[in-house]
Amino acid sequence: MASVLASLHPEDTVYGDVGDATVPLRFSSFPQEYQVLRERAAVLDLGGHRLIEITGPAAVDFAQRVLARDVEYLTSDRCMMSLVLDESGQVVDQVVAFGREEGLLLESSCGAGARLLDHLLAHAEEGAEIADRSADLTVIGLEGPYAWGVVGRLIDGELASLPFESVVDTTWNGVDIVFARTGYTGEYGYQMIVPRQAAPGLWAGALEHAQAAGQEALELAMLEVRQPIPRHEATPGASVIEIGANWLVDITKDDFVGRAAVLEAFETGGGLRTVGFTGCEGVPAPGTRVLAGGQDVGEVVYAVQSAGLGATLGLARVDPELAAAGLGLTVGGVDVTTLTSPYIVPKSWSIPII
Amino acid sequence: MTIDELRAKAAQRQQTCSQIKKMIVSRLDLEIEPGWITDDQPLFGRGLELDSLDVLELYVAIEAEFGVALYDSDMAVFGSVSRLADEVDPTLRAPA
């Protein structure tokens, strides 16, 4: 799946395949795009996020069964993030669910849309129609401490101060769009679901007030606030508890696909736990062993060079008794220190919307 | 440090985090078990979805339970349970 905006991106944009999508990893300079996201306002081509509509008289019941969070009362002015699990409790995807008058609209994570769609179709129920809307719609995001200002200049200042996870059906240049206050990075964040034919115009309009940031900058900023990135963190066999994504599951909900497995993993308390770390030189590969006091206690999930920390930042999955911040461990023979989340304090937390 | 010393240091933080989780669940009358909250998950907005009224309640609860006043602190202290633990027990910040 390629972005409808690809023809507008600079010629030297670096693309990469993420799951089933080809997405812009960076448009120009990764450090600069990261800085824009953390210091000003970034516009994001989220064309790698597939949009799947669930409609029909059984739409909400179906969504309640396949989503791990409670969407029974998700009205058309609200959205929420939720995991989608299989029967064994493994993560299929992490979605944003938008309440709609006719049912729900699910936004997949980057590159996971085909997998999500296959899963939904495999669990299809009579009375719930599942339709891939990615041929008609795409998503453009805004993130950053001053993203609210871009919303004001681009659409309507009133929308900037919507409560978190609010959704409004509005118009931009006479085009119907779905506007939502969301966010992946801890900064002020917004998403606009727009018809594909109008997306180039909205993208160009947003670029008059913000700078484009690619997937690399977005994923680093997500990691820094411990926002799960399924494609890196949902490793084969890892439970929700091991990933540390409990908050994307409503375990008080009576029933949903995967609930029994998640509950068992929680009650038995086995497995490993995820903790952030920094300190080593270079970027250790996933699977690099983690030692504590010379003993093997786990492995690296993934790691990157953090522009915000000016150092390596990674996640390790370790023995639960050692899953805590402030410990000196060893990764690939190099000393590291485990961290308290968030690893970077978003600037938006100290900047009010004016 | 030996692995036993590291485990002891981790246990100290995990115990404080556990105490904070129980306090949050009790004070905010949440339906979840305290252990369901992870040390690193976001608390405000995303994650536990606390709002500003919840935070005011927690200011009072933290002072009552830990004797620490956070009224002048920025919102970063509510970044996670583990971050709150750093505030109520500064000895946890010492590297081990």
Side-chain angles (χ1 to χ4, degrees), chain A:
Chain A
M1 191 169 78
S3 168
V4 68
L5 301 172
S7 63
L8 279 76
H9 298 331
E11 280 186 8
D12 54 353
T13 296
V14 176
Y15 290 92
D17 291 332
V18 175
D20 61 33
T22 301
V23 300
L25 299 178
R26 56 187 176 277
F27 295 95
S28 53
S29 153
F30 164 62
Q32 187 190 19
E33 290 170 27
Y34 170 82
Q35 188 180 25
V36 164
L37 202 160
R38 281 280 180 236
E39 299 290 330
R40 299 197 293 278
V43 55
L44 308 168
D45 176 358
L46 301 180
H49 296 209
R50 195 173 295 244
L51 293 162
I52 301 172
E53 191 174 61
I54 305 170
T55 55
V60 174
D61 289 343
F62 173 68
Q64 271 292 76
R65 199 164 74 81
V66 294
L67 294 176
R69 290 190 67 202
D70 193 341
V71 292
E72 186 173 4
Y73 301 108
L74 189 68
T75 51
S76 60
D77 59 353
R78 301 291 301 166
C79 65
M80 68 163 63
M81 196 171 283
S82 172
L83 290 182
V84 176
L85 306 173
D86 66 15
E87 282 75 4
S88 66
Q90 302 288 292
V91 174
V92 174
D93 197 14
Q94 173 181 297
V95 302
V96 180
F98 294 82
R100 300 281 77 200
E101 291 292 344
E102 314 79 24
L104 290 94
L105 190 63
L106 303 185
E107 177 190 343
S108 78
S109 66
C110 186
R115 175 182 159 93
L116 173 65
L117 184 59
D118 288 346
H119 176 82
L120 296 176
L121 291 171
H123 291 78
E125 293 175 355
E126 193 175 329
E129 292 167 20
I130 302 162
D132 183 359
R133 295 295 309 277
S134 303
D136 321 314
L137 303 169
T138 192
V139 191
I140 294 173
L142 294 167
E143 297 252 351
Y146 297 102
W148 51 270
V150 179
V151 172
R153 290 187 286 275
L154 189 64
I155 307 175
D156 179 352
E158 294 288 319
L159 296 177
S161 56
L162 285 172
F164 186 62
E165 295 189 330
S166 292
V167 179
V168 170
D169 290 276
T170 186
T171 59
W172 169 82
N173 260 7
V175 177
D176 291 334
I177 65 169
V178 178
F179 182 92
R181 170 98 181 265
T182 56
Y184 292 107
T185 66
E187 305 292 354
Y188 291 116
Y190 307 90
Q191 288 193 30
M192 297 166 285
I193 299 174
V194 57
R196 283 174 73 95
Q197 66 269 26
L202 182 57
W203 176 262
L207 281 179
E208 291 176 15
H209 311 288
Q211 187 175 327
Q215 188 70 17
E216 288 180 344
L218 175 60
E219 289 193 351
L220 170 57
M222 290 169 69
L223 170 62
E224 288 173 343
V225 296
R226 200 59 186 90
Q227 172 70 44
I229 305 171
R231 75 185 187 102
H232 294 306
E233 298 180 47
T235 53
S239 72
V240 167
I241 312 298
E242 289 176 300
I243 295 168
N246 308 28
W247 60 279
L248 292 166
V249 173
D250 186 351
I251 202 65
T252 64
K253 196 166 89 168
D254 287 340
D255 191 31
F256 56 85
V257 175
R259 183 180 188 276
V262 172
L263 196 58
E264 183 183 355
F266 177 62
E267 289 177 343
T268 57
L272 304 175
R273 296 293 180 272
T274 302
V275 66
F277 69 86
T278 188
C280 57
E281 293 177 11
V283 177
T288 302
R289 302 313 302 176
V290 178
L291 306 185
Q295 294 188 33
D296 191 320
V297 295
E299 65 180 27
V300 171
V301 180
Y302 88 109
V304 295
Q305 180 67 25
S306 166
L309 291 178
T312 301
L313 172 63
L315 296 177
R317 208 155 276 156
V318 300
D319 183 332
E321 292 181 341
L322 291 158
L327 305 183
L329 306 179
T330 307
V331 168
V334 180
D335 291 343
V336 301
T337 303
T338 56
L339 296 171
T340 295
S341 169
Y343 315 126
I344 292 285
V345 176
K347 192 172 182 177
S348 297
W349 292 7
S350 57
I351 293 180
I353 295 174
I354 301 171

Side-chain angles (χ1 to χ4, degrees), chain A residues 69 227 320-321 326 328 341-342, chain B residues 7 14 36 46 49 80 83 96:
Chain A
R69 290 190 67 202
Q227 172 70 44
E321 292 181 341
S341 169
Chain B
R7 283 190 178 125
Q14 289 171 345
W36 187 252
R46 300 176 307 138
E49 300 184 340
S80 66
R83 183 61 73 101

Side-chain angles (χ1 to χ4, degrees), chain B residues 24-90:
Chain B
I24 290 173
V25 168
S26 169
R27 286 291 185 137
L28 302 182
D29 204 19
L30 304 180
E31 292 182 6
I32 52 174
E33 289 187 39
W36 187 252
I37 303 170
T38 65
D39 294 354
D40 276 347
Q41 78 178 58
L43 299 179
F44 193 79
R46 300 176 307 138
L48 204 57
E49 300 184 340
L50 302 186
D51 60 25
S52 51
L53 287 178
D54 295 328
V55 169
L56 286 176
E57 175 72 24
L58 290 183
Y59 279 143
V60 176
I62 289 165
E63 185 162 17
E65 183 140 351
F66 296 96
V68 175
L70 298 176
Y71 300 102
D72 294 329
S73 305
D74 60 36
M75 289 305 298
V77 301
F78 290 99
S80 66
V81 169
S82 191
R83 183 61 73 101
L84 261 179
D86 283 337
E87 297 298 320
V88 302
D89 183 359

